[in-house]
């Protein structure tokens, strides 16, 4: 509140100083002269006399060039401003006196008193709101009191029929004061140091007051030369404030500060010679990155999830709005200054407008790309967890994880190419021959890189056939492993022992997918010839029931473990066949558990597993055993004697 009262007091003091009245006779003469100069017939006569008295100069090629005409106009403008500076006090005093006399003649108080009353009324309404409303520190909570203040003043201003000069003056300075307060609210919500915030606040105050003063100059009868001189004086104040901020709070070496100071001085000189477009481009290069960062941070405070669609729209949309407003203002400044050097050359003007349109095209392309990429990234994050889903939903999410990265890369290329072509078209480049040339070049590249084209086309058909997805285990020719990722021409496979294969699509051939839908796992066990087959079948059924009831394994079964029967008679026993149906990827783990349980149950029930045996001889079993023992001892002796040789 202190800075507000100080600004108001300074404002009222300035207006009261400007309202000092000169002698009545002198003022009457000035008013008569101004009224006479505003008469249309007098203006026409003066213009004709000026044209008649203009010296006739011989035209030369140098004098008729655009650069020479611009230099002459800039020199004339600077000389007019320098000549008008001494007349500023008299012109401002006369303007303030006219406004005060008009208000007093209609029974109103002086303009500065009316201004103070309106500001006091707005502050009173704001104080009432702050008394009954909860204090809010976010940006919206800072902007609402300013809105109450502006609304209260606006109601009183438009409800009273003010004198014409007073109306224009009040509207200009009240608008400047409201804009100043809005800037103060935005700066208070931004994350910056108090020193920088204070200097920016002073700079915004000077700029607002300068714009308001320039706006009321013509209605109050101030000559254009004096108005321009006043604007130049305010620009010097702004330049000094900027230089002071660079040397006081800017970080960096003295050389860097000196470079920034020189840049500010060059910008001021560019503005002085009426090159407004180039001036605003320099201003954008100086402050636009910081403004975009601050706007992005403030926009993200309105959303809890920056990666959501709302967060992307708010953050990127706010930045895009700032860039669009900057481009629009630059186009308006360029349009309102037709006598600048660039406007005199049609090629430069076309290139300038093409650059502005290109910036808007790139902003829109970036916004669309960020929205699409955000949606793809969110879908990929959601598609990672598939354990608690139905098989159909899990398959659909797995397919999303496979196709969306490829679609994201293709979309990025498409957006970049389309935006680039549109930008070139806006810059005046004929893109028709460029597209035709690119087509011919593409055909040549296609013939020269048939393998690459074959890889890409095969990859497209693999995707259309849904042959495999990310996370599935496949085998193709000599390659097998889990699919980790795709590119436009190859697939990345992780072998179960760790190695990674990067296989071009054209080298895959027929693909064996081991992770799709379900898996039937079969295995065999050999038991003795004297085994009871029915007993083994019942025990196997019991083991299958126990595996299904297991809380860890049961959810992975589709069909329980069963004994299919006798597969064959082996050399050492009967070969029994077993089978079960499980979800993909779990069959090996479940088979190991089944082996352990079958062994435990069979041994407990007296079913012996077949072992290789050797029977030597006929009926004399003891003689055969003795002969076998003698043969073993002979073999051991031979093995012992072999190293000695």
């Amino acid at each position: 509140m202190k800075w507000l009262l100080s600004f108001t007091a300074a404002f009222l003091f300035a207006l009261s100083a400007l309202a000092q009245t000169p002698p009545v006779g002198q003022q009457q003469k000035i008013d008569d002269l101004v009224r006479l100069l505003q008469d249309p017939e007098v203006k026409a006569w003066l213009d004709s006399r000026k044209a008649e008295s203009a010296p006739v100069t011989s035209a030369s090629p140098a004098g008729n060039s655009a650069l020479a005409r611009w230099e002459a106009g800039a020199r004339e403008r600077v000389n007019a401003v320098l000549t008008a500076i001494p007349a500023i006090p008299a012109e401002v005093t006369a303007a303030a006196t006219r406004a005060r006399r008009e208000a007093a003649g209609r029974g109103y108080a002086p303009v500065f008193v009316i201004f103070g009353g309106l500001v006091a009324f707005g502050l009173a309404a704001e104080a009432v709101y702050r008394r009954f409303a909860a204090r809010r520190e976010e940006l919206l909570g800072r902007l609402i009191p300013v809105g109450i203040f502006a609304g209260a003043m606006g109601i009183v201003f438009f409800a009273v029929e003010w004198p014409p000069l007073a109306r224009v003056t009040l509207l200009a300075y009240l608008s400047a004061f409201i804009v100043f307060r809005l800037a103060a609210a935005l700066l208070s919500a931004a994350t910056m140091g108090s020193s920088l915030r204070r200097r920016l606040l002073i700079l915004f105050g000077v700029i607002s007051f300068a714009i308001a003063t320039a706006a009321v100059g013509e209605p109050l009868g101030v000559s254009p030369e004096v108005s321009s001189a006043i604007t130049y004086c305010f620009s010097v104040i702004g330049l000094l404030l900027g230089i002071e901020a660079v040397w006081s709070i800017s970080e960096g070496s003295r050389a860097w500060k000196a470079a920034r100071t020189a840049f500010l001085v060059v910008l001021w000189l560019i503005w002085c010679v009426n090159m407004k477009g180039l001036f605003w481009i320099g201003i954008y290069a100086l402050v636009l990155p910081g403004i975009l960062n601050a706007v992005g941070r403030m926009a993200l405070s309105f959303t809890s999830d920056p990666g959501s669609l709302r967060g992307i729209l708010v953050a990127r949309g706010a930045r895009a709005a700032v860039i669009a407003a900057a481009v629009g203002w630059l186009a308006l400044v360029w349009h309102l200054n037709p006598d600048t050097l660039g406007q005199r050359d049609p090629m430069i003007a076309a290139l300038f407008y093409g650059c502005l349109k290109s910036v808007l095209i790139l902003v829109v392309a970036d916004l669309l790309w960020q929205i699409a990429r955000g949606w793809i990234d969110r879908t990929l994050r959601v598609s990672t967890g598939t354990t608690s889903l139905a098989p159909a939903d899990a398959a659909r999410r797995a397919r999303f994880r496979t196709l969306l990265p490829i679609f994201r890369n293709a979309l990025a290329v498409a957006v970049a190419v389309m935006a680039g072509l549109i930008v070139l078209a806006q810059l005046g480049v004929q893109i028709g021959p460029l597209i035709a040339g690119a087509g011919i070049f593409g055909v040549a590249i296609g013939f020269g890189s048939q393998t690459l084209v074959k890889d890409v086309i095969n990859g497209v058909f693999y995707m259309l056939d849904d042959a495999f997805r990310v996370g599935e285990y496949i085998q193709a020719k000599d390659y097998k492993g889990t699919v980790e990722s795709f590119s436009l021409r190859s697939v990345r496979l992780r072998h179960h022992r760790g190695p990674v294969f990067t296989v071009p699509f054209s080298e895959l051939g027929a693909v064996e997918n081991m992770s799709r839908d379900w898996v039937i796992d079969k295995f065999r066990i050999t038991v003795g010839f004297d085994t009871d087959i029915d007993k083994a079948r019942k025990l196997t059924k019991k083991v299958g029931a126990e595996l299904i009831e297991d809380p860890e394994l049961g959810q992975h079964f589709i069909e329980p473990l069963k004994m299919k029967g006798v597969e064959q008679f082996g050399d050492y026993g009967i070969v029994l066949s077993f089978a079960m149906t499980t979800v993909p990827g779990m069959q090996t783990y479940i088979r190991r558990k089944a082996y352990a349980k079958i062994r435990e149950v069979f041994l407990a029930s007296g079913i012996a597993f077949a072992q290789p045996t050797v029977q030597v001889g006929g009926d004399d079993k003891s003689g055969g055993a003795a002969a076998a023992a003698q043969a073993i001892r002979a073999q051991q002796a031979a093995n012992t004697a072999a190293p000695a040789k």
Side-chain angles (χ1 to χ4, degrees):
M1 187 61 70
K2 291 182 179 180
W3 60 265
L4 179 61
L5 296 177
S6 301
F7 181 83
T8 305
F11 185 86
L12 297 178
F13 178 79
L15 284 181
S16 62
L18 293 176
Q20 299 297 325
T21 308
V24 179
Q26 180 183 356
Q27 181 60 39
Q28 185 65 35
K29 294 179 181 179
I30 293 175
D31 292 342
D32 294 339
L33 178 60
V34 170
R35 192 179 304 108
L36 184 62
L37 291 176
Q38 292 178 350
D39 186 85
E41 297 180 358
V42 176
K43 286 184 177 181
W45 182 81
L46 290 176
D47 292 338
S48 63
R49 296 294 297 175
K50 185 184 297 185
E52 292 176 0
S53 60
V56 179
T57 58
S58 59
S60 63
N64 289 332
S65 65
L67 181 61
R69 292 196 300 270
W70 173 82
E71 187 273 337
R75 182 184 298 274
E76 181 181 355
R77 191 162 44 251
V78 172
N79 292 334
V81 169
L82 294 177
T83 305
I85 288 178
I88 291 178
E91 290 274 358
V92 172
T93 302
T97 303
R98 280 193 291 274
R100 190 183 69 84
R101 291 182 60 186
E102 183 190 49
R106 300 195 180 192
Y108 289 92
V111 176
F112 72 91
V113 176
I114 299 173
F115 178 86
L118 291 175
V119 171
F121 183 78
L123 291 176
E126 181 181 348
V128 171
Y129 168 78
R130 292 182 182 275
R131 181 178 181 84
F132 293 100
R135 184 177 179 85
R136 302 166 63 183
E137 295 297 333
E138 65 272 12
L139 179 60
L140 186 61
R142 299 174 186 271
L143 293 178
I144 290 178
V146 181
I148 298 295
F149 170 79
M153 288 196 309
I155 292 174
V156 177
F157 175 79
F158 289 104
V160 179
E161 188 66 28
W162 307 104
L165 295 181
R167 183 189 307 131
V168 174
T169 305
L170 289 174
L171 180 61
Y173 285 106
L174 288 176
S175 301
F177 192 65
I178 293 172
V179 171
F180 171 76
R181 291 211 55 195
L182 285 174
L186 294 175
L187 290 176
S188 63
T191 55
M192 62 178 64
S194 58
S195 179
L196 177 60
R197 182 182 292 109
R198 183 172 60 254
R199 285 172 170 81
L200 289 177
L201 195 60
I202 296 174
L203 181 61
F204 275 116
V206 172
I207 293 174
S208 302
F209 186 75
I211 294 175
T213 304
V216 301
E218 183 179 357
L220 292 180
V222 179
S223 63
E225 292 78 10
V226 174
S227 296
S228 299
I230 295 174
T231 305
Y232 274 83
C233 293
F234 277 114
S235 69
V236 172
I237 297 175
L239 175 63
L240 295 178
L241 290 174
I243 294 175
E244 189 274 336
V246 167
W247 288 94
S248 298
I249 62 176
S250 178
E251 298 179 356
S253 61
R254 295 179 63 87
W256 178 245
K257 293 181 179 180
R260 288 187 177 182
T261 303
F263 183 73
L264 292 177
V265 173
V266 170
L267 281 182
W268 180 76
L269 293 175
I270 290 173
W271 182 83
C272 289
V273 297
N274 202 32
M275 300 178 68
K276 303 295 179 61
L278 188 59
F279 167 78
W280 281 106
I281 292 175
I283 292 294
Y284 291 162
L286 191 64
V287 303
L288 195 57
I291 293 177
L292 291 177
N293 292 332
V295 168
R297 288 194 298 268
M298 287 190 294
L300 288 177
S301 64
F302 291 95
T303 179
S304 58
D305 185 9
S308 63
L309 178 61
R310 179 183 176 184
I312 295 175
L313 285 176
V314 169
R316 295 285 177 174
R319 293 190 180 101
V322 171
I323 295 176
V327 171
W329 175 253
L330 195 60
L332 181 63
V333 169
W334 181 273
H335 179 72
L336 295 179
N337 292 271
D339 56 342
T340 57
L341 182 60
Q343 286 279 47
R344 300 177 185 273
D345 191 339
M347 182 177 296
I348 295 179
L351 184 62
F352 177 79
Y353 283 113
C355 291
L356 295 184
K357 295 176 183 178
S358 301
V359 171
L360 295 179
I361 291 168
L362 293 177
V363 169
V364 173
D366 176 72
L367 181 60
L368 295 177
W369 161 243
Q370 293 296 333
I371 293 174
R373 190 182 69 172
W375 176 81
I376 293 174
D377 292 342
R378 288 194 306 274
T379 306
L380 289 175
R381 287 196 300 268
V382 172
S383 301
T384 53
T386 58
T387 55
S388 60
L389 297 177
D393 295 337
R396 185 172 62 254
R397 290 194 177 184
R399 191 169 186 179
F400 278 160
R401 293 198 308 272
T402 301
L403 297 178
L404 285 179
I406 300 177
F407 175 73
R408 179 177 56 192
N409 296 335
L411 182 63
V413 173
V415 170
V417 171
M418 293 297 296
L421 290 177
I422 297 175
V423 166
L424 290 177
Q426 294 298 327
L427 294 177
V429 178
Q430 296 294 330
I431 62 174
L434 184 63
I435 295 175
I440 297 174
F441 181 75
V443 172
I445 291 295
F447 281 110
S449 56
Q450 295 183 17
T451 303
L452 177 62
V453 175
K454 184 178 179 181
D455 291 336
V456 174
I457 294 177
N458 285 337
V460 171
F461 282 104
Y462 276 124
M463 296 300 101
L464 292 178
D465 294 338
D466 194 21
F468 45 82
R469 305 165 187 161
V470 173
E472 293 183 339
Y473 194 91
I474 66 172
Q475 181 172 355
K477 294 183 179 179
D478 296 333
Y479 308 102
K480 60 181 177 179
T482 303
V483 179
E484 287 192 342
S485 62
F486 294 93
S487 67
L488 291 177
R489 61 170 297 272
S490 63
V491 59
R492 182 185 177 94
L493 300 180
R494 172 75 66 174
H495 193 269
H496 56 273
R497 291 193 180 96
V500 177
F501 300 104
T502 301
V503 187
F505 285 119
S506 60
E507 297 294 330
L508 286 179
V511 175
E512 181 182 356
N513 195 326
M514 303 178 184
S515 301
R516 188 65 59 86
D517 301 330
W518 44 267
V519 174
I520 296 178
D521 189 69
K522 295 181 179 181
F523 58 92
R524 299 174 181 179
I525 296 177
T526 305
V527 296
F529 286 107
D530 57 348
T531 301
D532 187 348
I533 303 300
D534 291 335
K535 184 178 180 180
R537 180 179 288 107
K538 293 178 181 179
L539 293 176
T540 302
K541 186 176 181 180
K542 179 182 177 181
V543 171
E546 291 179 358
L547 291 174
I548 289 181
E549 292 176 357
D550 187 282
E552 180 183 0
L553 303 177
Q555 59 182 341
H556 302 300
F557 273 99
I558 297 178
E559 290 185 6
L561 174 67
K562 296 179 181 179
M563 192 183 82
K564 297 297 183 180
V566 177
E567 186 70 22
Q568 65 181 7
F569 290 96
D571 296 334
Y572 309 109
I574 302 174
V575 179
L576 302 179
S577 176
F578 300 82
M580 57 183 175
T581 304
T582 65
V583 298
M586 296 300 297
Q587 66 272 17
T588 304
Y589 177 70
I590 296 176
R591 188 198 314 138
R592 296 192 185 100
K593 296 290 184 180
Y595 278 151
K597 284 188 172 294
I598 289 174
R599 176 184 179 280
E600 179 182 351
V601 172
F602 277 18
L603 292 179
S605 300
I607 298 177
F609 294 95
Q611 298 179 0
T613 57
V614 177
Q615 183 175 355
V616 180
D619 296 336
D620 188 5
K621 296 182 179 180
S622 60
Q630 185 177 358
I632 291 174
R633 286 195 297 270
Q635 182 67 28
Q636 290 178 350
N639 293 336
T640 305
K645 297 178 181 179

